[in-house]
Amino acid sequence: MTFDPTGHLLLTPVDPEAPVRVRRLRQLGFGDRPDPAFDEFAHRLAEVTGAPYSMVNFIDENQQFFAGLHTPAGTQTGADLNATAASTGGVSRFMARDHGYCPHVVVRRKALVLEDVCDYPRFAGNPVVDEIGIRSYLGAPLIDRTGIALGTICVVDTEPRPWGRAGLETIKSLAAELIEQIHRREDGI
């Protein structure tokens, strides 16, 4: 566990790789604008998992950016995640770095399954639980050929979900598939 200098538990992990990640994201042209291919991928994530929300998420030092986003049609979420919500049914493409679970996945460099976030004290206190109503999470890191964790793919639900081993294997497989697409794009294929 990570603690701040006063001894309080930090809910969002320290991310020493963030500056390198930001440089790599800029090199790839990701992390600051929606991408139709990533929106399509997020839609596919939702279809495959049956989750109402799915994202392709890139993370910098201060925030998360959903370059790919799928939400149920017409959805408005709790405390309104912020500014650019028009084309996404009320959900913003930006979220603070200390909100949600993707920063944990990026720092750990491992998939994370939370069937009911309220079962885990470290995760139950995350602002997305009260502000947005998130109850379950399934995410995997996007680790590129240079070894940098660029971000995540994830799905969330407002109800507990029994993701199980099948969900874990599915999200990891889909993350590997998206990384291959990113590499092909980088190679101009």
Side-chain angles (χ1 to χ4, degrees), residues 56-170:
V56 174
N57 186 10
F58 298 118
I59 302 172
D60 68 20
E61 295 101 329
N62 303 307
Q63 67 183 5
Q64 303 175 65
F65 176 71
F66 305 129
L69 178 62
H70 170 84
T71 64
T75 300
Q76 296 284 341
T77 57
D80 180 52
L81 292 177
N82 241 332
T84 61
S87 68
T88 60
V91 177
S92 171
R93 290 196 181 255
F94 293 93
M95 187 162 64
R97 189 179 168 280
D98 64 349
H99 283 54
Y101 310 106
C102 290
H104 295 271
V105 172
V106 166
V107 171
R108 291 170 20 129
R109 303 172 67 83
K110 292 182 182 178
L112 178 62
V113 178
L114 300 171
E115 294 182 343
D116 186 343
V117 299
C118 295
D119 290 342
Y120 305 89
R122 178 177 188 137
F123 297 118
N126 195 285
V128 297
V129 175
D130 292 331
E131 294 176 16
I132 303 168
I134 300 303
R135 285 294 299 274
S136 61
Y137 172 91
L138 178 64
L142 295 169
I143 301 173
D144 79 346
R145 62 174 64 137
T146 67
I148 296 171
L150 302 173
T152 68
I153 59 168
C154 69
V155 294
V156 297
D157 201 335
T158 56
E159 300 293 328
R161 294 282 299 266
W163 304 111
R165 174 139 324 267
L168 177 63
E169 293 307 318
T170 297

Side-chain angles (χ1 to χ4, degrees), residues 9-84:
L9 177 66
L10 293 176
L11 296 179
T12 304
V14 175
D15 185 4
E17 192 177 74
V20 175
R21 177 182 319 106
V22 170
R23 283 193 298 277
R24 180 70 173 137
L25 288 170
R26 286 187 185 132
Q27 179 185 24
L28 293 168
F30 300 155
D32 61 357
R33 63 186 175 280
D35 186 305
F38 293 149
D39 280 340
E40 286 178 33
F41 195 88
H43 179 72
R44 186 163 159 250
L45 274 172
E47 283 183 336
V48 168
T49 62
Y53 300 92
S54 59
M55 299 90 171
V56 174
N57 186 10
F58 298 118
I59 302 172
D60 68 20
E61 295 101 329
N62 303 307
Q63 67 183 5
Q64 303 175 65
F65 176 71
F66 305 129
L69 178 62
H70 170 84
T71 64
T75 300
Q76 296 284 341
T77 57
D80 180 52
L81 292 177
N82 241 332
T84 61

Side-chain angles (χ1 to χ4, degrees), residues 28 30 35 37-38 180-189:
L28 293 168
F30 300 155
D35 186 305
F38 293 149
E180 287 304 314
Q181 286 180 23
I182 289 169
H183 290 161
R184 284 194 304 273
R185 185 187 286 195
E186 182 179 26
D187 294 339
I189 299 173

